[in-house]
């Protein structure tokens, strides 16, 4: 199935954000979706930290931009980087995925006034299910009905788009015909080798000795994946092969050549999108969970497990080596008789329900709707942070969001006047703080509604009197015709908290050095004016003249 967009006017620039691009189901889904969207005529940019899955992006000929989305300590830098990407690539819509990418994406979207979509990939907590992020999301996407119900029940999220995982259907000439005379049944198990998947791979390995004795053709088992249990599994496999006096099981670790490995197999085992990919290559597919055993997949069972993202969560049959061996014996018989009916039924159901072409079109609809609504909707104020929000965040951002609800709605001007903040690095000879203050004095003179807050951080407390003396001399030169001046000493207050509280008191921030990028990013989050050019300073002056 080939679908194209109607005209160039519908062409979108889409940004996908993900924390760290490793080899896994979510990463493969993002690449497949991006490829499907590109085939519809859209431009797609993927931003992430570098990981082992980057080759997936390159092979799909997609645009990749490195961004430290996996490092909490670099959250502010990541927001600035995403804002830069949005500007450079003229992004129309931001699509975020758990976890930190959701925080960064929402705040970057707020700064650039771009709609933010997010996908919830499972029944687990993510930042956007809590305020102040939840109300900033333009559209939620869930990968299964199970996730929709979870979001409805636990977090009161409504109007969710249920768009399941999907796969690119390989070209017909890539599909391998079943070889009934093959010497052995080739089994491939594909999964992350992590603690949360350990039970299923251990189950498979425990079944191998009996399986090897039962199957007349013989078996070859290949394990594909990486993770914190990889070394243990590799050692276990070494002992297993040694006890059987031959290499039946191979462990090849993480690989970007999963499709090629699938093509050479007869049976694909796993959960999640591994199930879909196995079906797309016309293989016999077996679903093995950590607790239960869905088993050999037919079209009816495929539909059933799609409700729980192709896992064992709606299956009551416990893991059973006997049932697993029975299923492999069924595969052996089907191979001997060249009976491909089950495989073809699965394949047709996949095309009709889970092809990336169809799901990409559905995502396109969500994007276009979000963009249209964002153009006609006023900016949503950041809500108070939920008390049970417990995700790691940069302390400056967290303090800013915690205290933001106390900020005055009118960010331009009110009866208390226009407060502008200066936060110099007094020990940096390149800092232009004195020149900036003199310019403000000359422009505003003794304007009754202008106040300058000069921040003195803890590390500069010993310079306080010297700084005040310098200011007094300048004030005398100007014959006291200067705006109100407020000296703000942090007084050993936590620096991150001090920064956040100050930004929530002011209407404008005037950078005096080239090291203020983090503060400028924080300003953009809460709508503080950045006054960094003579033109922007004149705009403030003109605004005050109009409001006075």
């Amino acid at each position: 199935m080939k679908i194209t967009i109607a005209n160039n006017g519908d062409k979108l620039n889409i940004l996908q954000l993900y924390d760290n691009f490793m080899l896994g189901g979510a990463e493969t889904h993002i690449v497949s979706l991006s490829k499907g969207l590109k085939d519809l005529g859209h431009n797609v940019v993927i931003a992430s930290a570098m990981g082992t899955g980057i080759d997936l992006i390159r092979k799909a000929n997609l645009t990749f931009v490195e961004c430290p989305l996996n490092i909490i300590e670099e959250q502010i830098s990541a927001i600035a980087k995403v804002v830069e990407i949005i500007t450079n690539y003229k992004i129309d819509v931001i699509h975020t995925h758990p976890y930190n990418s959701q925080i960064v994406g929402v705040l970057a979207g707020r700064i650039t006034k771009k709609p933010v979509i997010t996908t919830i990939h499972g029944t687990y907590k993510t930042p956007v299910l809590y305020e102040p992020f939840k109300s900033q999301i333009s559209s939620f996407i869930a990968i299964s009905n199970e996730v929709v119900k979870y979001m409805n029940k636990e977090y009161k999220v409504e109007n969710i788009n249920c768009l399941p995982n999907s796969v690119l259907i390989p070209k017909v000439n890539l599909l391998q015909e079943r070889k009934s005379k093959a010497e052995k049944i080739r089994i491939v198990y594909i999964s992350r080798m992590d603690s949360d998947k350990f039970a299923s791979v251990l189950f498979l390995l425990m079944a191998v000795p009996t399986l090897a004795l039962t199957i007349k053709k013989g078996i070859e088992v290949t394990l594909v994946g990486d993770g914190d249990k990889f070394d243990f599994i590799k050692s276990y496999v070494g002992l297993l092969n040694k006890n059987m006096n031959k290499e039946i099981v191979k462990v090849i670790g993480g690989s970007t050549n999963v499709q090629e490995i699938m093509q050479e197999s007869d049976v694909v085992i796993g959960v999640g999108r591994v199930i879909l990919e196995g079906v797309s290559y016309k293989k016999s597919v077996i679903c093995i969970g950590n607790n239960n055993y869905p088993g050999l997949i037919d079209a009816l069972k495929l539909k059933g497990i799609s409700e729980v993202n192709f896992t064992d969560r709606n299956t009551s049959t416990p893991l059973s080596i006997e049932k697993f061996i029975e299923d492999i014996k069924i595969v052996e018989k089907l191979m001997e008789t060249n009976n491909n009916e089950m495989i073809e039924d699965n394949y047709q159901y996949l095309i009709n329900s889970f092809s990336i072409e169809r799901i990409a079109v559905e995502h396109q609809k969500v994007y276009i709707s979000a963009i249209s609504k964002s153009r006609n909707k006023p900016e949503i104020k950041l809500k108070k942070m939920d008390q049970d929000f417990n995700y790691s965040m940069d302390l400056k951002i967290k303090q800013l969001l915690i205290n933001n609800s106390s900020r005055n709605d009118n960010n331009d001007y009110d009866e208390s006047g226009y407060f502008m903040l200066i936060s110099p690095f007094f020990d940096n000879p390149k800092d232009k703080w004195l020149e900036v203050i003199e310019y403000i004095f000359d422009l505003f003179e003794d304007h009754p509604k202008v106040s300058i807050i000069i921040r003195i951080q803890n590390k500069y407390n010993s310079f306080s009197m010297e700084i005040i003396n310098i200011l007094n001399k300048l004030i005398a030169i100007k014959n006291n015709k200067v705006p109100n001046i407020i000296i703000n000493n942090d007084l050993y207050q936590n620096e991150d908290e001090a920064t956040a509280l100050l930004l929530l008191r002011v209407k404008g921030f005037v950078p005096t050095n080239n090291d203020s990028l983090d503060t400028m990013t924080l300003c953009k989050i809460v709508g503080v004016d950045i006054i960094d050019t003579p033109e922007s300073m004149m705009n403030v002056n003109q605004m005050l003249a109009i409001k006075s």
Side-chain angles (χ1 to χ4, degrees):
M1 177 173 63
K2 181 68 174 178
I3 305 173
T4 56
I5 59 175
N7 55 65
N8 289 334
D10 296 325
K11 189 173 184 177
L12 303 177
N13 296 320
I14 303 159
L15 176 60
Q16 300 278 353
L17 298 180
Y18 192 65
D19 289 12
N20 193 12
F21 227 84
M22 305 301 287
L23 288 169
E27 293 89 337
T28 310
H29 166 73
I30 292 168
V31 170
S32 297
L33 173 61
S34 299
K35 181 69 167 59
L37 291 165
K38 185 177 179 181
D39 289 344
L40 290 174
H42 304 302
N43 296 320
V44 184
V45 178
I46 299 175
S48 171
M50 293 289 286
T52 53
I54 297 301
D55 280 348
L56 295 173
I57 300 174
R58 291 172 179 152
K59 285 183 178 181
N61 199 26
L62 296 165
T63 302
F64 172 75
V65 180
E66 185 177 1
C67 184
L69 290 168
N70 61 332
I71 304 173
I72 301 301
E73 293 76 15
E74 295 190 32
Q75 229 167 25
I76 299 177
S77 298
I79 293 169
K81 181 65 177 179
V82 172
V83 169
E84 179 185 311
I85 294 168
I86 292 168
T87 303
N88 291 346
Y89 290 91
K90 299 179 180 178
I91 296 299
D92 299 301
V93 62
I94 305 163
H95 190 159
T96 69
H97 304 265
Y99 292 89
N100 186 47
S101 295
Q102 293 175 326
I103 295 173
V104 171
V106 164
L107 297 179
R110 182 173 177 80
I111 290 170
T112 57
K113 303 189 187 318
K114 300 297 180 183
V116 181
I117 313 297
T118 196
T119 294
I120 308 299
H121 291 265
T123 53
Y124 47 75
K125 297 178 181 180
T126 75
V128 291
L129 295 175
Y130 298 87
E131 295 297 358
F133 302 103
K134 183 165 73 172
S135 57
Q136 300 292 312
I137 296 296
S138 299
S139 266
F140 284 90
I141 295 172
I143 61 162
S144 68
N145 285 325
E146 177 191 33
V147 178
V148 171
K149 292 174 184 176
Y150 169 77
M151 294 167 66
N152 284 154
K153 180 180 178 182
E154 301 295 331
Y155 298 98
K156 311 302 180 193
V157 180
E158 298 178 352
N159 302 318
I160 304 164
N161 302 279
C162 185
L163 300 178
N165 274 332
S166 53
V167 292
L168 292 164
I169 308 296
K171 295 178 182 178
V172 175
N173 61 1
L174 291 179
L175 299 173
Q176 300 294 305
E177 293 295 329
R178 183 179 293 276
K179 297 178 181 178
S180 61
K181 294 182 180 180
E183 292 181 2
K184 298 177 181 179
I185 296 180
R186 297 159 299 179
I187 300 169
V188 60
Y189 172 92
I190 303 170
S191 174
R192 280 198 176 107
M193 305 294 177
D194 288 331
S195 301
D196 60 339
K197 303 288 181 70
F198 186 57
S200 59
V201 67
L202 192 60
F203 165 80
L204 172 62
L205 292 175
M206 290 174 65
V208 165
T210 306
L211 188 64
L213 295 173
T214 305
I215 302 302
K216 294 180 292 183
K217 285 179 175 292
I219 60 170
E220 289 180 355
V221 180
T222 303
L223 307 182
V224 182
D226 207 345
D228 55 37
K229 290 292 185 181
F230 178 79
D231 290 338
F232 177 88
I233 291 168
K234 190 172 182 180
S235 298
Y236 187 101
V237 167
L239 291 173
L240 186 66
N241 288 332
K242 184 177 180 180
N243 290 337
M244 293 187 293
N245 294 317
K246 53 183 172 181
E247 187 183 44
I248 292 179
V249 184
K250 293 189 298 183
V251 185
I252 62 174
S255 174
T256 57
N257 297 319
V258 172
Q259 286 72 24
E260 290 86 342
I261 295 169
M262 281 189 184
Q263 288 179 56
E264 295 300 320
S265 70
D266 300 302
V267 182
V268 174
I269 298 176
V271 294
R273 67 177 294 108
V274 170
I275 301 296
L276 296 180
E277 290 176 344
V279 171
S280 76
Y281 282 95
K282 292 190 175 180
K283 305 299 177 181
S284 294
V285 177
I286 295 177
C287 181
I288 298 178
N290 280 334
N291 302 298
N292 298 312
Y293 182 73
L296 185 62
I297 299 300
D298 57 22
L300 182 62
K301 198 173 288 185
L302 186 63
K303 180 179 180 181
I305 64 174
S306 71
E307 295 289 315
V308 289
N309 193 30
F310 311 98
T311 63
D312 64 337
R313 289 192 291 271
N314 62 355
T315 303
S316 58
T317 304
L319 289 172
S320 165
I321 290 176
E322 291 76 17
K323 289 185 181 298
F324 173 61
I325 291 174
E326 286 175 13
D327 281 344
I328 297 296
K329 288 170 71 176
I330 291 172
V331 173
E332 182 182 36
K333 186 175 181 180
L334 293 175
M335 290 174 66
E336 289 173 349
T337 58
N338 286 320
N339 185 341
N340 296 324
E341 184 177 346
M342 180 190 296
I343 289 173
E344 291 294 344
D345 287 348
N346 288 347
Y347 183 74
Q348 287 304 314
Y349 184 74
L350 176 75
I351 290 176
N352 294 334
S353 303
F354 304 109
S355 71
I356 196 63
E357 290 87 354
R358 188 181 79 81
I359 299 301
V361 169
E362 294 304 315
H363 276 80
Q364 175 183 260
K365 292 177 183 177
V366 173
Y367 296 155
I368 291 173
S369 174
I371 293 167
S372 176
K373 289 177 182 177
S374 71
R375 288 170 179 160
N376 303 313
K377 188 170 67 173
E379 183 178 77
I380 298 173
K381 183 181 177 182
L382 284 168
K383 293 187 177 181
K384 187 176 181 180
M385 182 177 285
D386 286 335
Q387 289 185 347
D388 53 348
F389 180 89
N390 60 357
Y391 289 90
S392 297
M393 290 183 66
D394 176 273
L395 291 178
K396 291 188 184 73
I397 296 178
K398 192 166 188 177
Q399 287 295 335
L400 202 63
L401 297 178
I402 287 173
N403 294 285
N404 182 66
S405 58
S406 63
R407 182 173 175 78
N408 193 300
D409 287 337
N410 182 355
N411 192 44
D412 291 327
Y413 180 83
D414 60 25
E415 291 305 314
S416 64
Y418 192 97
F419 290 79
M420 58 180 74
L421 172 66
I422 294 175
S423 183
F425 293 167
F426 293 104
D427 57 349
N428 183 349
K430 293 183 179 180
D431 195 293
K432 305 292 185 182
W433 70 276
L434 196 56
E435 295 176 30
V436 168
I437 289 175
E438 186 171 6
Y439 180 81
I440 295 172
F441 284 180
D442 290 341
L443 182 63
F444 293 100
E445 294 186 334
D446 53 353
H447 197 298
K449 293 297 184 180
V450 175
S451 296
I452 306 170
I453 298 178
I454 302 174
R455 180 188 184 185
I456 301 178
Q457 298 179 52
N458 288 331
K459 60 184 176 180
Y460 302 126
N461 277 340
S462 59
F463 304 155
S464 292
M465 290 310 300
E466 182 181 346
I467 294 166
I468 291 171
N469 288 335
I470 292 171
L471 288 171
N472 282 331
K473 289 179 182 178
L474 183 59
I475 292 169
I477 293 172
K478 302 297 180 182
N479 296 318
N480 291 323
K481 295 189 69 174
V482 299
N484 185 36
I485 297 173
I486 302 169
I487 303 296
N488 189 98
N489 289 85
D490 286 355
L491 297 177
Y492 305 102
Q493 187 178 28
N494 176 279
E495 183 180 334
D496 296 326
E497 185 177 3
T499 300
L501 293 177
L502 271 174
L503 290 180
L504 293 172
R505 287 177 57 195
V506 302
K507 306 296 177 65
F509 171 67
V510 186
T512 61
N513 54 68
N514 293 326
D515 298 314
S516 302
L517 291 178
D518 281 3
T519 304
M520 292 166 71
T521 300
L522 294 171
C523 288
K524 293 174 183 176
I525 291 173
V526 289
V528 172
D529 298 334
I530 297 173
I531 311 168
D532 57 350
T533 63
E535 290 77 17
S536 57
M537 192 71 76
M538 288 300 298
N539 289 338
V540 172
N541 193 28
Q542 291 171 9
M543 180 270 295
L544 289 172
I546 294 171
K547 295 285 186 178
S548 295

